[in-house]
Amino acid sequence: MLEIKNLTMVYPTGTVALKDVSFKVEDGEFLGVIGLSGSGKSTLLRCINRLIEPTEGQIIWNGVDVTEADQSELRNIRREIGMVFQHFNLVKRSNVITNVLSGRLGYTPPAWSLINRFNRADREKAIQVLERLGIPEKAHNRADSLSGGQQQRVGIARALMQDPKMILADEPVASLDPVLAHSILGSLETLNQEDGITVMCSLHFLDLVQRYSTKVIGLRDGHLVFEGSKEDVQKIDDERFKDIYGEEAERLGA
Amino acid sequence: MTETTEIQRSSSPLHAILSLIIPGAGQVFAGQIVRGISILAATLILGFLSIWTSAQRARFPDMGVSARIFVIVLLQCLALLALLLIVRYLILRSMQDDASADAASRGILGVGYIAIILIASRPIMDLAGHTPGMLEIYETTLLLAAASLAGLWLWQSNDAALLGAGNPAGSWTPAILVGTLLILSLGWSITGIDISKAISEFSDTQVILRRIVWPWRTAFEYDIDTVESQARIQAPCPPGAIGPEVNEPLVGEAWISVTPTCGDMTVSDNTGTTLGTELTITGGGFEPGQVVEVLWKNPIGNPFTPRGVGETEITISPDGTFVSSLNIPLALVADTAEGAQLHTLVIRQESNEVFTGRLSDQMNLALVGILESIMIGLMATFFGIILAFPVSFLAARNLMMPIMSKTGGVVGGFVGLVPGIWAAIIGTQYVISLFGGLEQAPIIIAIIMVILFLGLGGLGWRLGAWIISQLIEALPVSIGRGVIGFSFAALAATPGYLLGLGFSRGILSIPLSVEVAAVNEQTYAIIGAVILGVAGAAFGYFSGNEGEVSIGALVYAVTRTILNIVRSIEPIIWALVAVIWVGLGPFAGTIALTLHTIAALGKLYSESIESIDPGPIEALQATGANRLQTIVYAVVPQILPPFISFTIYRWDINVRMSTIIGAVGGGGIGFILIQWIRLFQYDAVGLGVWLIAVTVALLDFVSSNIRARYV
């Protein structure tokens, strides 16, 4: 279980990205995070595994305060939490299998990884993961030779190598077309439902949130302005919509 | 004409006059203070530069004379320009408000500006009563500079007039154009550009160029084929002597026949010269069309060219024969010789040089030199890569900046570093003694040394950081702050002391006596230590144990500074140092190039690290990878292509550099080349130049191929 308590993040430039944000994520949930660009979604996700150091507040992951962890404790927490990115963040020149295997680095003795060695079990696991995501034939292609959707699958495969209890997905479909978006979110949904991996996913489109999330939070200018179940999301009316997305926002296709 | 243009045309004479007297004053008066000050500064700088340049170029003994002349020229230019402006005004009036008239008058202004100044200013200077001598050395370009300054002066006066009348600030373009003209004309003068000389005396280069451009004859050894034939003559000729036998013509080889074979030598005394007996020389079997040389051998056998008694060089007719005549010359005969002596007439023909296929000594030297140069470049690149690679990570902003450390940890680290390094030094000494001297196994010892320093230094740092951190956490907060403040004071005071010492030794000590210098040294060193110490104490106290220091930023700054200093010193200067260090030869060149390569590649590498995509780093950190793993998996694959590219580029540079580094004793072909240049052996110089050109071309070919294949 993940519990965020009074999380505040102020950038050195003085920008307040998150202000006093508190919420809980139960195990096995698919949490959608909505909000405009700049509302603090990415910052929130990155604070959870401390890619960004929060200024104040606590992040309790399965009873451990992430903000208090030292470097080696932090690495152990991080390897339990996979992360998927909007721009995939693959090493473009490396081949797919290496990118996938790099998800295993948290479990690999550093000396071994220096000479590019993973054990047999890891290699087999990487192939299995790729098979599960439907791209085993791409294992030895260079990452940048893949299409956007395939690259995001490699990104998910890398996260899966961590045997994660939770996956943080930072706008995983924002760079993809609608068809691919459903296919990628479908993969995340499968992992959520079959493997019981908690998913925390920031999304732009409300219809995607309504389709996939079991719970939703909304951020606006760093403040938590919405928290509700799947049903609550279905019931979002224009009034509520404007609370989250601002006065000038118009609802499309609703 | 509309009203707005009417307003734009209006101008304020007061502001114009103010600016005419002091450049920029009108603008300041009109409220444009920055503009005014910029104009004043630009005018002063350009004016001073012009006067100084004319003082240098004209070799006037003092700036005063130069300044006076320059001011006179400047005033003339101003007067002429004013004249031109009046012409423009008249044109504009006569043609009424017409855009084309405006353009035409501007054109006239521009062309007339330069033309009149160039043509008219000299005669006017004469009128002003200067001696012709001064005028002659006052160059046209300097006149142009003065004219430009005058243009600038008028422009800013006009600018002030417009501003004063409430117009918006105009464009800087005219000022920039005129200013550029001024600087270019000064540059022309300072660099001593002389186009007429360059054209008229170009032919002088032929002597050298021809030999350098095609030096290949020098590359090989040639044998000279000599055809020689002799005849014997008796001189003096006592009565009744008949002399040696006359040679008979031969078939298939060179022959000469001389008649008579007995005669008297030429005698010279106070009364004059009496020519000796005339000999008729016929010969055959020589190379047709070529010249033969006539030599006379005295009885002892010493040959000389008999001058003044006949032809000394004879051209052979197409059938290989010749006929010539020669009076027996005066040949020295040994004092002890008695009676008639036998002399020898030699006809010698040096035919075409015969190609042997053997390389000449010079070519051999050049080949050895170029090989040495290539190897110097190769070794310097090799060592450069090895050393620049780790350094480049320390000099990459994006990797170093996030490395933060708690203040207590930094203090403890430095405290622990001291015994760590000390232990490493002791360890190195022990290892050296174990091997029985550094020269026994230098490479192994060097590797062990690096491991010892990194390992023990790092261990010391970690241990110190841990102990001090624990200690401070155990102490009450205020005491902890005090301890950290004190430690930072001590840490900062050391470089402060050294800086103070360096400042007093390097800058201040020159005029001081030794005793005073010693006292001053300590004073300045202590002042430096106190300043930085207090700053350090304040920082340490106020940040406390919770404060963080970007230790990465410190390492980054120090590494970058060192790299920049080393890189800004040219390899040829490093070679001078290295020659004193390890002596003349290729090793010195290798050291010089290695130092420069480390700095240059370190910078290029680190910049390519800085420009990588940060996404994968973030992604790998999120997987729980540690710093080293992140570098191996996210950074290295991204920087490999630029690293290969930069390395090849540097190899290319190093080989080219190694060819000139020899000029200061760094070995390689430059070492030989500079000697040939000093001996005026331009053929050999040409060989060297050719070999360098071929090497560079080959290298370029190879490196572009490698680049195309792997990058």
Side-chain angles (χ1 to χ4, degrees):
Chain A
M1 196 181 77
L2 178 72
E3 188 176 1
I4 310 289
K5 285 184 189 169
N6 309 100
L7 190 67
T8 297
M9 165 64 205
V10 184
Y11 280 100
T13 51
T15 315
V16 181
L18 293 173
K19 184 70 191 168
D20 203 16
V21 173
S22 303
F23 62 93
K24 279 186 187 176
V25 189
E26 299 293 339
D27 285 343
E29 231 161 8
F30 194 119
L31 178 75
V33 184
I34 53 173
L36 289 173
S37 296
S39 62
K41 301 191 298 291
S42 290
T43 308
L44 173 63
L45 289 172
R46 283 172 170 74
C47 279
I48 289 170
N49 60 5
R50 268 176 63 195
L51 285 179
I52 295 176
E53 292 287 340
T55 318
E56 273 173 44
Q58 286 179 308
I59 298 159
I60 315 290
W61 168 248
N62 290 339
V64 180
D65 188 352
V66 178
T67 57
E68 291 293 317
D70 68 20
Q71 286 295 317
S72 70
E73 285 164 4
L74 179 62
R75 282 201 294 274
N76 286 337
I77 294 168
R78 278 175 173 172
R79 69 184 193 188
E80 292 177 359
I81 305 177
M83 194 159 185
V84 178
F85 301 85
Q86 178 185 353
H87 297 295
F88 326 132
N89 287 359
L90 302 179
V91 180
K92 295 190 178 67
R93 287 182 52 85
S94 297
N95 58 21
V96 167
I97 193 88
T98 309
N99 269 294
V100 173
L101 279 166
S102 67
R104 202 69 198 161
L105 285 173
Y107 297 89
T108 315
W112 276 124
S113 51
L114 250 190
I115 52 169
N116 213 341
R117 256 200 81 86
F118 290 92
N119 60 38
R120 179 180 289 273
D122 286 346
R123 293 180 170 276
E124 282 166 1
K125 184 179 169 67
I127 297 290
Q128 279 166 11
V129 168
L130 284 175
E131 271 167 3
R132 189 169 176 200
L133 288 163
I135 44 169
E137 74 283 0
K138 300 286 184 189
H140 296 283
N141 291 24
R142 254 173 68 150
D144 56 1
S145 69
L146 269 60
S147 70
Q150 290 170 333
Q151 290 197 31
Q152 193 57 293
R153 284 172 195 284
V154 177
I156 294 173
R158 179 173 61 193
L160 275 183
M161 288 298 286
Q162 293 172 235
D163 292 328
K165 297 195 171 70
M166 179 164 80
I167 289 179
L168 303 172
D170 182 20
E171 295 183 19
V173 296
S175 312
L176 303 173
D177 63 46
V179 178
L180 280 172
H182 277 292
S183 135
I184 292 294
L185 286 173
S187 301
L188 285 176
E189 191 179 38
T190 312
L191 297 174
N192 177 244
Q193 288 171 358
E194 290 179 6
D195 302 27
I197 298 170
T198 312
V199 176
M200 186 169 168
C201 178
S202 65
L203 289 167
H204 269 307
F205 293 104
L206 211 52
D207 56 338
L208 290 177
V209 178
Q210 287 167 344
R211 160 75 183 75
Y212 292 102
S213 306
T214 57
K215 190 187 168 190
V216 179
I217 58 169
L219 287 174
R220 183 177 169 193
D221 297 333
H223 295 268
L224 189 73
V225 292
F226 179 87
E227 188 168 5
S229 65
K230 195 179 179 90
E231 290 71 38
D232 294 333
V233 179
Q234 307 288 4
K235 280 182 270 176
I236 284 181
D237 55 10
D238 285 3
E239 196 66 18
R240 210 75 185 91
F241 184 80
K242 288 199 168 163
D243 277 350
I244 302 167
Y245 286 104
E247 285 304 315
E248 280 106 77
E250 291 257 352
R251 260 182 109 168
L252 291 171
Chain B
M1 193 170 266
T2 60
E3 233 181 55
T4 47
T5 43
E6 206 68 56
I7 290 168
Q8 276 179 350
R9 283 273 163 98
S10 70
S11 54
S12 158
L14 173 67
H15 290 83
I17 290 167
L18 267 178
S19 272
L20 212 52
I21 298 167
I22 303 170
Q27 281 82 351
V28 171
F29 189 59
Q32 295 265 0
I33 294 166
V34 175
R35 196 178 177 93
I37 290 172
S38 313
I39 286 170
L40 182 64
T43 317
L44 282 179
I45 290 169
L46 291 175
F48 177 78
L49 202 62
S50 307
I51 293 169
W52 190 64
T53 309
S54 54
Q56 296 296 310
R57 289 296 297 163
R59 306 265 180 271
F60 290 133
D62 65 320
M63 292 273 284
V65 179
S66 178
R68 215 155 53 226
I69 295 181
F70 189 79
V71 170
I72 291 168
V73 175
L74 185 66
L75 287 176
Q76 286 163 3
C77 292
L78 276 172
L80 283 163
L81 276 177
L83 205 70
L84 275 168
L85 285 175
I86 292 168
V87 172
R88 170 173 140 89
Y89 176 70
L90 289 176
I91 293 173
L92 279 178
R93 265 196 62 169
S94 67
M95 295 178 75
Q96 307 275 306
D97 342 295
D98 188 354
S100 60
D102 188 53
S105 63
R106 275 168 193 268
I108 291 173
L109 192 68
V111 175
Y113 170 51
I114 293 172
I116 290 188
I117 277 133
L118 291 184
I119 298 162
S121 48
R122 279 169 190 262
I124 292 175
M125 278 182 82
D126 282 330
L127 284 177
H130 288 292
T131 59
M134 271 188 182
L135 269 183
E136 271 162 28
I137 47 178
Y138 209 84
E139 297 165 19
T140 316
T141 46
L142 291 172
L143 291 176
L144 199 59
S148 309
L149 197 63
L152 205 62
W153 206 295
L154 285 183
W155 169 81
Q156 58 88 23
S157 165
N158 181 48
D159 185 63
L162 290 174
L163 282 174
N167 291 304
S171 157
W172 283 96
T173 314
I176 291 169
L177 283 177
V178 174
T180 311
L181 182 66
L182 199 162
I183 290 168
L184 285 180
S185 42
L186 288 182
W188 190 291
S189 177
I190 288 171
T191 50
I193 290 172
D194 188 343
I195 288 177
S196 70
K197 190 176 189 176
I199 293 170
S200 65
E201 294 180 19
F202 179 72
S203 54
D204 290 6
T205 61
Q206 277 187 19
V207 186
I208 292 179
L209 265 185
R210 222 179 13 222
R211 295 167 69 183
I212 291 177
V213 167
W214 199 252
W216 290 108
R217 209 175 170 287
T218 325
F220 300 98
E221 266 185 15
Y222 291 86
D223 280 344
I224 295 162
D225 208 14
T226 311
V227 179
E228 200 177 275
S229 183
Q230 320 190 331
R232 314 205 88 186
I233 294 109
Q234 187 181 357
C237 195
I242 50 163
E245 250 180 72
V246 177
N247 292 346
E248 291 299 322
L250 299 169
V251 178
E253 56 184 295
W255 61 271
I256 58 167
S257 149
V258 179
T259 50
T261 56
C262 180
D264 292 313
M265 287 192 288
T266 300
V267 184
S268 253
D269 56 24
N270 297 340
T271 55
T273 302
T274 313
L275 284 173
T277 313
E278 185 175 323
L279 306 172
T280 304
I281 313 164
T282 53
F286 290 92
E287 198 69 38
Q290 303 276 336
V291 171
V292 294
E293 186 184 3
V294 181
L295 289 173
W296 192 273
K297 273 187 190 169
N298 65 12
I300 309 164
N302 293 335
F304 63 95
T305 307
R307 299 192 192 280
V309 289
E311 284 181 284
T312 55
E313 284 185 350
I314 305 157
T315 307
I316 306 297
S317 62
D319 59 354
T321 61
F322 73 94
V323 180
S324 182
S325 64
L326 185 79
N327 297 92
I328 296 175
L330 171 68
L332 285 176
V333 176
D335 289 342
T336 50
E338 284 179 12
Q341 299 286 320
L342 279 178
H343 298 249
T344 315
L345 180 75
V346 182
I347 300 293
R348 178 191 286 167
Q349 187 176 41
E350 287 185 352
S351 75
N352 293 333
E353 293 178 339
V354 179
F355 181 74
T356 59
R358 285 194 306 275
L359 294 177
S360 65
D361 289 347
Q362 287 170 324
M363 187 64 182
N364 276 324
L365 270 175
L367 283 173
V368 169
I370 198 81
L371 184 69
E372 212 172 270
S373 276
I374 293 170
M375 290 306 171
I376 290 173
L378 200 67
M379 294 314 286
T381 314
F382 172 70
F383 289 127
I385 297 167
I386 289 180
L387 295 167
F389 189 78
V391 168
S392 66
F393 286 88
L394 301 181
R397 178 185 284 271
N398 57 342
L399 295 185
M400 296 309 283
M401 284 298 170
I403 301 180
M404 305 288 280
S405 186
K406 286 197 169 170
T407 42
V410 174
V411 169
F414 274 108
V415 171
L417 197 60
V418 176
I421 296 294
W422 179 74
I425 293 172
I426 301 286
T428 309
Q429 283 170 347
Y430 177 72
V431 168
I432 291 176
S433 69
L434 207 63
F435 276 94
L438 180 64
E439 67 282 352
Q440 296 299 322
I443 294 171
I444 296 170
I445 290 176
I447 292 169
I448 293 174
M449 196 173 105
V450 169
I451 293 170
L452 278 178
F453 271 80
L454 289 181
L456 291 176
L459 191 71
W461 179 279
R462 290 221 157 184
L463 217 60
W466 185 75
I467 291 171
I468 298 283
S469 296
Q470 297 295 318
L471 201 69
I472 287 170
E473 268 175 31
L475 289 169
V477 175
S478 59
I479 298 177
R481 279 175 181 268
V483 169
I484 292 174
F486 179 77
S487 315
F488 265 89
L491 280 181
T494 314
Y497 183 86
L498 292 175
L499 279 177
L501 203 65
F503 177 72
S504 71
R505 277 194 189 159
I507 299 169
L508 297 180
S509 69
I510 301 152
L512 302 174
S513 70
V514 176
E515 293 82 12
V516 179
V519 172
N520 270 291
E521 260 176 31
Q522 289 307 317
T523 314
Y524 282 104
I526 288 164
I527 289 173
V530 167
I531 292 173
L532 281 194
V534 168
F539 174 78
Y541 184 80
F542 287 113
S543 53
N545 189 34
E546 287 309 305
E548 291 204 321
V549 181
S550 178
I551 191 78
L554 181 74
V555 174
Y556 166 81
V558 170
T559 317
R560 267 294 162 108
T561 310
I562 294 172
L563 286 186
N564 282 339
I565 293 172
V566 174
R567 197 168 47 88
S568 61
I569 299 172
E570 284 296 312
I572 203 143
I573 308 295
W574 282 122
L576 286 174
V577 178
V579 162
I580 292 165
W581 182 6
V582 296
L584 290 170
F587 184 37
T590 311
I591 287 180
L593 275 176
T594 304
L595 283 173
H596 200 257
T597 306
I598 295 169
L601 276 185
K603 181 186 151 70
L604 291 173
Y605 284 177
S606 61
E607 274 169 9
S608 61
I609 295 174
E610 282 173 9
S611 65
I612 61 170
D613 174 13
I617 298 176
E618 191 185 31
L620 287 205
Q621 279 173 349
T623 67
N626 71 5
R627 203 184 297 282
L628 189 67
Q629 290 172 325
T630 309
I631 286 176
V632 172
Y633 282 89
V635 179
V636 170
Q638 291 196 61
I639 56 178
L640 222 48
F643 269 37
I644 293 173
S645 181
F646 285 135
T647 306
I648 294 168
Y649 171 65
R650 189 63 212 182
W651 180 41
D652 205 293
I653 291 180
N654 275 349
V655 172
R656 272 186 288 130
M657 280 282 189
S658 68
T659 58
I660 58 158
I661 211 147
V664 293
I669 191 148
F671 195 48
I672 304 158
L673 206 55
I674 198 77
Q675 293 175 40
W676 284 335
I677 290 171
R678 286 181 184 143
L679 292 169
F680 304 109
Q681 294 184 1
Y682 293 116
D683 298 293
V685 170
L687 281 182
V689 171
W690 263 91
L691 286 182
I692 291 171
V694 169
T695 309
V696 170
L698 273 177
L699 199 70
D700 193 60
F701 176 75
V702 170
S703 64
S704 65
N705 262 313
I706 296 176
R707 230 190 302 255
R709 202 161 298 178
Y710 295 107
V711 179

